[in-house]
Amino acid sequence: MNSRSLARALLASVALAVSVVLAGCDTDQVSLATNAKANQPVSPKLVAAMGEKDMDLQSPILIRLFKQEAELEIWKQTRSGQFALLKTYPICRWSGDLGPKVREGDRQAPEGFYSINPSQMNPQSAYYLSFNTGFPNAFDKALGRTGSQLMVHGDCSSRGCYAMTDEQIAEIYSLGRESFFGGQKAFQFQAYPFRMTPVNMAKHRNNPNMAFWKMIKEGYDHFEVTRQEPKVDFCEKKYVFDAARAPDAKRDPVFDASAKCPAYIVPEDVASAVREKEQRDEAEYSKLVAKGTPVARMNTGIDGGMNKIFAAKIPEGSTGLSEGAEGNTLQMLAMSKAPGTIPGTVNPPKPNLEPTATAPQAEPVVAVSAPATNTRVASAQPAEKSGFFSNLGRKMGFGTADTTATTPPPQATASVAAAATPPTAASRLKAAVTRFVPGHHDTAKDKPAVAAKPAEPAKPAETKVAATRPPLKPSVNDGAQMAGAAPVVSSNSFDSRFGAVK
């Protein structure tokens, strides 16, 4: 018995020694599967899907990722040599905003084209399994962008990364591992803010990152028209796709991200196909802009996004900056099965409450500015029958007013304070008769007056802040703010002083 145990120990030692020797020769391959998590086989269901799509288990892969849609795509090379979509994974969590990573600590997840080789696969990740995106690439470095350890990993937790569930990353990791075992030296990782469609480009046309997005869209288009992994180079601090040697050149062009571009060509069949797609996209984009496609709102105070399938599983979950179907759709998704385990520590994005959260409290209801002595407002109360004093006051220029949810200017506040004790009917009549001027022209003569009413607290639902409301979501009461909707009211009139809040 002891001899058998000793023999096993010796065999284990030999195996370990051999693994160390092999690690010295080919560290990358040995590091791919050093534990049970990293050595999980590809699921039979996914292998069957490959067979149906004319793919081999160990054929090359390519990954595309979209922040706004919160989706990660695995593409795999078919036996015809082109790539086809194998599977789309919803992203559990990503952090930052739409746009590239610029500096260490900005919580941004990178955007652009990156190359993943076996050494970037991490079987010992603290987030179950992971692979390093390779940020910064040569383009990022040429612009002075900084950052490190930007990963695609499990645990649904992100600080500048793309986080999946453990089950998802296990499957993605296994697909990458098998492609390396099949001979692929590195697979391409393409990260985008959104699917580069004319609709999305039109929606984000005012975004300061648009120049960068148009540049990486060229690579997106190269893949779309060829279904081949685009060759990526950098020069003059820009991306270059599918560059080839010029006909009269004696050697392949040498690229430097910070240097002048060398002489190169793009194969005509690829160039023409890309050019045709760009023309179609540009024509569609122009139509969308011409018909007034709303511009996407710039977001502040929201950290990243989450696919709606995961947001639906979390109490008060929000998709954040990702496209989400809120309300009933999220409730319906809550009944479906999540693609993996969502840890209890997940921190979902905050909902976008910017329009109300940042609104100044003292902003007036109406969006027009008026002199202190003449405030044009829209009446929110129904017309009532005129009384003697009300008619007399109207002839003197006293109109009806409603300043619901409006913070009065300093002089108006002082006027209200000075008139804390309402005058008697006799004093009002005396004041009106004293001020009466025969022949006074009453611009509101044909409009019914609203009798003064005791002050009541303003209803929250009537509070509208028109000055800070985004133009894409006009108030349902905007129509009441048209010029001439209510008569001009004297700032020291009885109605304006004692009917300020109705």
Side-chain angles (χ1 to χ4, degrees):
M1 198 66 169
N2 291 335
S3 61
R4 288 184 180 179
S5 299
L6 180 60
R8 287 177 181 174
L10 288 173
L11 287 173
S13 300
V14 171
L16 181 61
V18 170
S19 68
V20 172
V21 172
L22 289 175
C25 300
D26 195 352
T27 307
D28 293 346
Q29 284 222 347
V30 172
S31 68
L32 287 173
T34 57
N35 55 38
K37 291 185 299 183
N39 204 31
Q40 295 177 62
V42 177
S43 69
K45 183 177 180 180
L46 203 53
V47 172
M50 293 178 200
E52 293 172 0
K53 297 184 178 185
D54 199 31
M55 303 169 178
D56 293 318
L57 175 62
Q58 295 189 338
S59 65
I61 67 167
L62 179 146
I63 295 180
R64 296 202 308 180
L65 183 147
F66 307 95
K67 288 180 177 178
Q68 183 172 275
E69 292 81 4
E71 291 181 342
L72 182 151
E73 297 177 342
I74 297 288
W75 292 72
K76 202 162 178 62
Q77 195 176 60
T78 65
R79 295 185 180 100
S80 68
Q82 290 188 315
F83 281 83
L85 181 62
L86 173 61
K87 187 171 180 178
T88 300
Y89 297 84
I91 298 173
C92 194
R93 193 71 169 87
W94 60 272
S95 59
D97 200 350
L98 299 181
K101 184 171 184 64
V102 176
R103 63 184 178 278
E104 184 84 52
D106 64 5
R107 292 184 67 85
Q108 283 291 101
E111 294 175 4
F113 288 71
Y114 299 90
S115 181
I116 315 300
N117 63 48
S119 67
Q120 292 164 247
M121 307 291 282
N122 183 10
Q124 306 292 342
S125 175
Y127 299 95
Y128 197 74
L129 291 167
S130 67
F131 66 82
N132 193 315
T133 62
F135 179 92
N137 61 20
F139 168 81
D140 300 318
K141 291 176 182 177
L143 294 180
R145 294 176 177 174
T146 58
S148 59
Q149 303 302 310
L150 280 304
M151 305 279 186
V152 176
H153 57 65
D155 200 45
C156 194
S157 174
S158 176
R159 297 179 183 84
C161 298
Y162 295 105
M164 318 300 291
T165 62
D166 291 353
E167 292 87 347
Q168 287 177 314
I169 193 62
E171 193 166 89
I172 295 168
Y173 189 98
S174 69
L175 290 169
R177 180 197 68 219
E178 292 303 319
S179 74
F180 291 135
F181 287 167
Q184 187 174 19
K185 299 296 183 183
F187 64 81
Q188 195 171 87
F189 176 72
Q190 306 175 6
Y192 300 99
F194 40 73
R195 296 187 185 279
M196 312 300 276
T197 63
V199 172
N200 282 332
M201 298 298 280
K203 284 168 56 179
H204 296 277
R205 59 187 179 273
N206 288 348
N207 193 292
N209 294 302
M210 184 50 68
F212 169 72
W213 291 341
K214 285 183 177 179
M215 181 173 59
I216 62 174
K217 180 184 180 296
E218 185 178 344
Y220 175 95
D221 290 343
H222 275 243
F223 180 72
E224 286 288 303
V225 301
T226 66
R227 288 289 187 261
Q228 297 282 354
E229 178 183 296
K231 178 176 174 287
V232 180
D233 290 296
F234 313 97
C235 60
E236 298 178 9
K237 298 181 181 179
K238 66 180 182 181
Y239 277 85
V240 176
F241 299 99
D242 288 324
R245 181 194 303 181
D248 56 345
K250 295 181 179 179
R251 60 188 181 92
D252 291 337
V254 177
F255 288 88
D256 185 323
S258 299
K260 183 180 178 180
C261 292
Y264 71 90
I265 64 166
V266 176
E268 182 54 32
D269 57 337
V270 176
S272 61
V274 170
R275 189 162 50 246
E276 289 174 6
K277 182 181 184 303
E278 289 176 344
Q279 290 172 352
R280 291 193 302 271
D281 289 351
E282 185 60 33
E284 180 64 21
Y285 169 88
S286 298
K287 289 179 182 177
L288 292 166
V289 173
K291 74 177 184 179
T293 296
V295 176
R297 180 178 55 196
M298 297 296 291
N299 298 285
T300 57
I302 305 176
D303 183 19
M306 169 179 279
N307 190 280
K308 58 190 177 184
I309 189 67
F310 295 110
K313 308 296 180 185
I314 302 171
E316 300 181 358
S318 169
T319 55
L321 301 181
S322 295
E323 284 187 342
E326 308 290 347
N328 293 332
T329 304
L330 281 185
Q331 293 174 7
M332 293 172 62
L333 286 171
M335 304 297 292
S336 60
K337 183 179 179 181
T341 305
I342 306 174
T345 56
V346 65
N347 180 26
K350 298 176 183 177
N352 192 342
L353 302 177
E354 182 186 4
T356 54
T358 61
Q361 297 300 313
E363 196 67 34
V365 174
V366 289
V368 295
S369 59
T373 57
N374 289 311
T375 304
R376 186 179 301 278
V377 294
S379 174
Q381 298 290 340
E384 299 179 6
K385 294 184 179 179
S386 303
F388 171 75
F389 295 111
S390 183
N391 283 333
L392 184 58
R394 183 161 51 83
K395 290 180 180 293
M396 297 304 302
F398 298 2
T400 58
D402 181 11
T403 55
T404 303
T406 303
T407 302
Q411 61 268 33
T413 304
S415 178
V416 171
T421 304
T424 64
S427 63
R428 283 182 290 158
L429 176 60
K430 181 179 179 180
V433 171
T434 302
R435 296 177 57 198
F436 179 72
V437 180
H440 171 71
H441 180 65
D442 182 10
T443 58
K445 172 172 163 181
D446 299 325
K447 302 178 190 273
V450 177
K453 300 179 69 175
E456 296 177 2
K459 297 179 181 179
E462 295 175 352
T463 303
K464 304 293 180 185
V465 187
T468 58
R469 185 180 296 111
L472 305 184
K473 294 185 178 181
S475 167
V476 294
N477 295 326
D478 281 353
Q481 297 171 7
M482 296 171 57
V488 175
V489 182
S490 175
S491 64
N492 62 351
S493 71
F494 176 84
D495 284 347
S496 67
R497 282 170 11 202
F498 296 95
V501 180
K502 293 187 180 179

